[in-house]
Amino acid sequence: MTDPNSAGSLRPTSPRHLLPRRAFLGALGAAGALSVVPALPATAADAGSTAYTLLSRADWGADETLRYTAAGTEIWPPEYYPVQTLTVHHTADGSTDPDPAAVVRAIYRNDTVGKGYGDIGYHFLIDRNGRVYEGRWSGTDGTAAHDAAGRMVTGAHVQGYNSGNLGIALLGTFTTTPPTTAARTALVQLLADLAGRHALVPAGKVLYRNPVSGVSRAAPVIGGHLDWAATDCPGTVWSQLPAIRAEVAALISG
C-alpha cells in the first residue's frame, strides 16, 4: 500500500456497519451511537427539512472480505482526524446499470481491488433518487465516516489532501448535464448535516493543513474536486456550489 498522503497517491491515509436504512441526521449521541435526531444547532431547521435516507454498507451489499488480505489483515487500517473541509465529486464511472447499489458495489470493488486501496475512497455517495450511501468503512463505534469521538476517517478522493477532507460523490457524469433535483437536494441536506455537526461555515474558506504530511492549501469549506486539482470533476455541479453553499447555510440557520 502506498502512503495515502503522498503526492503519488490518492489515498493519504477504517471498519463499521450502520443500522439499517433510515432517515438519518447523523448526530452522535453521548455514547457515540447513531441517533435519528437533528445534528444541527437548536436554531436550525427542523428534522423533517434536513433528513435524508442513508443506506449502510450492509444495505448496499458491500463485500467486507475485500478489505482484507488472504491472511486476514486489514489492507487499509483506519486513521481519524477532525474535519476541515467538504469536497464534492461526480463519479464519472460510465456505468449504465439502472441499479445504483450495483454501481456503488462496482466502484467499491474497483477502488478496493482494482486500484489497491483496500476500500472505497469516498465517504458518501448519492444516487439520482437522492439516497445517500455510506462509503469508507470507519469502525463500529461511531456514525458513517466517523469514530465515536466525531473524527473523520481518512478517505481517498483528492490526491495529497485526504486526511481531514470529507468526500461526497454524486453517482453519474455531470460534465454537461446537472444532477437530478433529488440528488441535489440530498447533497444540500448531507452538507448541512456535516457542516452543522462540525461547526463549519458553509460559505467560508479554510487554510487546510494535512495533519499527516503537513502540506497546506487555501480552499473553500465546501468545494469541489476542481478546487484541489486540474480536473473537470464535479462537472456542472461546481458552478452550482455558490448556490448550494447558500442553501446549506440557510438550512443550518433555519
Side-chain angles (χ1 to χ4, degrees):
M1 180 182 89
T2 56
D3 178 3
N5 285 297
S6 70
S9 172
L10 278 175
R11 183 183 69 212
T13 120
S14 229
R16 191 182 68 83
H17 280 304
L18 289 184
L19 299 177
R21 181 185 310 186
R22 64 183 60 208
F24 170 74
L25 285 171
L28 286 172
L34 184 64
S35 306
V36 188
V37 296
L40 307 177
T43 57
D46 63 27
S49 65
T50 56
Y52 52 87
T53 299
L54 176 70
L55 278 68
S56 72
R57 290 172 65 98
D59 287 332
W60 57 259
D63 181 355
E64 302 297 354
T65 65
L66 298 180
R67 297 188 296 105
Y68 295 87
T69 66
T73 302
E74 190 171 12
I75 298 169
W76 185 10
E79 292 187 9
Y80 306 93
Y81 300 95
V83 175
Q84 300 178 51
T85 185
L86 311 172
T87 301
V88 179
H89 301 258
H90 67 166
T91 58
D93 55 277
S95 175
T96 58
D97 195 313
D99 178 8
V103 176
V104 173
R105 288 193 296 271
I107 293 171
Y108 169 58
R109 175 173 285 276
N110 185 49
D111 281 2
T112 305
V113 180
K115 296 178 181 177
Y117 291 176
D119 199 355
I120 194 166
Y122 303 116
H123 295 91
F124 296 97
L125 303 95
I126 301 174
D127 71 19
R128 61 177 291 106
N129 299 308
R131 292 172 297 194
V132 179
Y133 297 74
E134 176 188 12
R136 173 81 164 105
W137 173 265
S138 62
T140 58
D141 56 352
T143 58
H146 299 79
D147 67 3
R151 300 174 303 170
M152 184 201 83
V153 66
T154 296
H157 59 99
V158 176
Q159 185 169 320
Y161 304 102
N162 282 301
S163 297
N165 187 348
L166 190 145
I168 302 169
L170 294 162
L171 291 181
T173 303
F174 303 110
T175 51
T176 59
T177 59
T180 64
T181 299
R184 189 183 184 284
T185 297
L187 175 63
V188 169
Q189 292 170 336
L190 176 59
L191 288 168
D193 173 17
L194 294 166
R197 195 191 320 183
H198 295 288
L200 301 175
V201 179
K205 295 186 181 299
V206 63
L207 181 60
Y208 167 87
R209 182 181 180 278
N210 190 312
V212 177
S213 68
V215 172
S216 295
R217 184 186 181 107
V221 170
I222 296 176
H225 194 178
L226 182 57
D227 290 299
W228 298 90
T231 175
D232 62 3
C233 178
T236 59
V237 182
W238 192 77
S239 64
Q240 297 182 35
L241 285 177
I244 287 172
R245 293 182 191 109
E247 291 171 35
V248 171
L251 197 57
I252 291 174
S253 67

